[in-house]
Amino acid sequence: MKKHISILGSTGSIGTQALDVVRAHPGVFEIDCLTAHSNADLLIEQAVEFLPGTVVIGNEDLYDQVRSALENFPVKVYCGADAIVQMMEQESTQVVLTACVGYAGLRPTLAAIRAGKHIALANKETLVVAGELVTALAKQHGVNIYPVDSEHSAIFQCLAGEWENPVEKIYLTASGGPFRGKDREFLATATKAQALKHPNWTMGAKITIDSASLMNKGLEVIEARWLFNLQADQIDVIVHPQSIIHSIVQFQDGSMKAQMGLPDMKLPIQYALGYPKRMKSDFPRFNFLNYPTLSFEQPDRETFRNLDLAFEAMKKGGSMPCILNAANEVAVAAFLKDQIGFLAMSDLLDHCMQTVAWTAKPTYEEYVKTDQEARRIAQAFLS
Ligand code: NDP
Ligand code: MG
């Protein structure tokens, strides 16, 4: 029997690599729905190749283009954010891969969980914004959340067979990004072209900037807190520039398990989609002799303030991580438009965390309001 999957954000870095995995395993997966936001040409190409029952283009202006291109194919076409949400509830779908970027992933992910779909989660912002709500809802509906993020996939793989054994702590590894070792003087004039050059991973623009500012690791700390039900003092970050060890679990007896391999997102994507099976792959294998040294160092928390801001937001809890995330999405978009300097992004986050009204136990509606308010205050800071 084929596993039925839907992909939220099939035209992005994770989405296209997920389709590479599907293509490499003919007969294993059936695609029910593919969604994109603005890349109509690629969505059409994917629809023609994979013949999903449905595609949705988020940007409504592109509906006619997609519909007419797929007129002679057995593929239904819809448009708009509401249609994306509705398509997550399709009866036949077993697993939804959430591979869209940012806060936009929250509503469709909640809909998928309510409809009882297991989640292969790449969209970490969903757990950052509303981790408490999302994990409680998943529990209520008997839904599993399989991590796609490489560090969290590593932890998940280390935990296989250890479900009854308490975790003492985890170490999330960080490459350090393109600005590892740089000081504040350098960062003050760092350009987006420099920030977009990640040493080890090719990813979408938003997460690449987040990696350069260590915000990505901060978001991942919060993501790990919810995925593995950990407290702040059980989560540590260690810089490991080679990105071979993807993360580490330390158990109560002091033993540590790490998951390693060459950096390739197709591996964690495939593990999440194929779980509990490890499917065969022809990805290049790691050769120890090519890496005689694996090195580790402390993150530079004074230069890269976002990591501590994320820990602070996580410890405060409630709506604070939602405020942090909204401010960061505005900051990254502004940095990509050359409207704000690299270091000023952290100032913007700090300002929003201190200014936006905080709630201890937000409902979904309160998260939506907080997100809007944080964006408004962030925009005002920019102008
Ligand atoms: P990309 O920018 O490459 O892709 C984003 C995808 O989301 C595209 O399909 C895009 O559509 C779609 N999208 C954009 N805006 C919206 C919206 N408002 N509503 C619905 N869909 C939208 O991002 P990545 O693939 O790099 O990242 C996706 C997620 O996975 C992020 O949360 C990221 O943090 C996480 N992740 C990514 C990793 C990576 O290696 N790339 C690693 C670990 C986690 P379109 O292109 O058609 O506009
Ligand atoms: Mg990661």
Side-chain angles (χ1 to χ4, degrees), residues 215 305-306 309-310 312-313 316-332 334 340 343-359 369-383:
M215 187 74 253
R305 291 169 56 212
N306 288 357
L309 289 173
E312 195 185 313
K316 177 83 180 168
S319 61
M320 196 54 91
C322 171
I323 296 169
L324 174 84
N325 179 71
N328 184 56
E329 289 190 20
V330 173
V332 172
I340 185 175
L343 290 175
M345 287 196 285
S346 305
D347 300 336
L348 174 56
L349 305 192
D350 202 357
H351 172 73
C352 289
M353 284 171 65
Q354 294 192 37
T355 316
V356 181
W358 174 81
T359 23
K369 257 173 83 180
T370 301
D371 175 76
Q372 287 168 351
E373 180 66 359
R375 281 168 201 269
R376 193 185 62 72
I377 287 177
Q379 289 297 349
F381 180 91
L382 286 173
S383 53

Side-chain angles (χ1 to χ4, degrees), residues 282-328:
D282 58 3
F283 308 148
R285 272 30 177 180
F286 173 73
N287 179 341
F288 282 93
L289 302 182
N290 292 340
Y291 291 83
T293 308
L294 295 181
S295 62
F296 304 91
E297 59 197 57
Q298 284 294 344
D300 177 355
R301 289 165 178 261
E302 273 169 32
T303 305
F304 298 91
R305 291 169 56 212
N306 288 357
L307 188 55
D308 281 349
L309 289 173
F311 266 99
E312 195 185 313
M314 177 173 67
K315 286 179 190 160
K316 177 83 180 168
S319 61
M320 196 54 91
C322 171
I323 296 169
L324 174 84
N325 179 71
N328 184 56

Side-chain angles (χ1 to χ4, degrees), residues 9 11-14 37-39 99-100 122-125 149 203-204 265:
T11 46
S13 159
I14 294 287
H37 183 62
S38 53
N39 194 342
C100 72
N123 179 250
K124 64 190 85 185
E125 292 91 345
D149 215 344
M203 311 178 283
M265 280 310 295

Side-chain angles (χ1 to χ4, degrees), residues 144-333:
N144 295 330
I145 301 181
Y146 304 116
V148 168
D149 215 344
S150 57
E151 296 77 1
H152 306 72
S153 174
I155 304 281
F156 186 58
Q157 293 181 53
C158 292
L159 288 175
E162 304 272 9
W163 307 122
E164 304 299 321
N165 290 325
V167 168
E168 191 165 81
K169 72 187 289 185
I170 64 167
Y171 289 89
L172 296 177
T173 51
S175 70
F179 296 154
R180 183 173 68 91
K182 301 293 187 206
D183 58 17
R184 291 183 69 80
E185 196 186 332
F186 174 91
L187 294 178
T189 56
T191 63
K192 74 176 178 205
Q194 292 169 318
L196 284 169
K197 272 203 198 101
H198 196 282
N200 303 349
W201 302 96
T202 310
M203 311 178 283
K206 194 252 175 188
I207 183 176
T208 306
I209 301 300
D210 284 345
S211 299
S213 69
L214 282 202
M215 187 74 253
N216 182 49
K217 213 45 58 182
L219 300 178
E220 291 184 354
V221 165
I222 304 174
E223 180 185 13
R225 184 253 175 279
W226 292 113
L227 277 173
F228 307 114
N229 192 21
L230 300 169
Q231 299 305 310
D233 61 1
Q234 291 178 287
I235 308 173
D236 216 336
V237 172
I238 188 89
V239 173
H240 165 47
Q242 298 83 16
S243 296
I244 295 298
I245 292 186
H246 299 303
S247 279
I248 301 125
V249 179
Q250 179 176 308
F251 293 94
Q252 284 188 327
D253 59 358
S255 182
M256 296 165 107
K257 276 168 96 174
Q259 185 263 339
M260 60 194 285
L262 291 171
D264 182 344
M265 280 310 295
K266 284 201 281 292
L267 208 149
I269 293 169
Q270 173 167 316
Y271 189 72
L273 292 179
Y275 185 85
K277 255 203 193 129
R278 284 189 185 274
M279 297 185 296
K280 236 179 140 99
S281 88
D282 58 3
F283 308 148
R285 272 30 177 180
F286 173 73
N287 179 341
F288 282 93
L289 302 182
N290 292 340
Y291 291 83
T293 308
L294 295 181
S295 62
F296 304 91
E297 59 197 57
Q298 284 294 344
D300 177 355
R301 289 165 178 261
E302 273 169 32
T303 305
F304 298 91
R305 291 169 56 212
N306 288 357
L307 188 55
D308 281 349
L309 289 173
F311 266 99
E312 195 185 313
M314 177 173 67
K315 286 179 190 160
K316 177 83 180 168
S319 61
M320 196 54 91
C322 171
I323 296 169
L324 174 84
N325 179 71
N328 184 56
E329 289 190 20
V330 173
V332 172

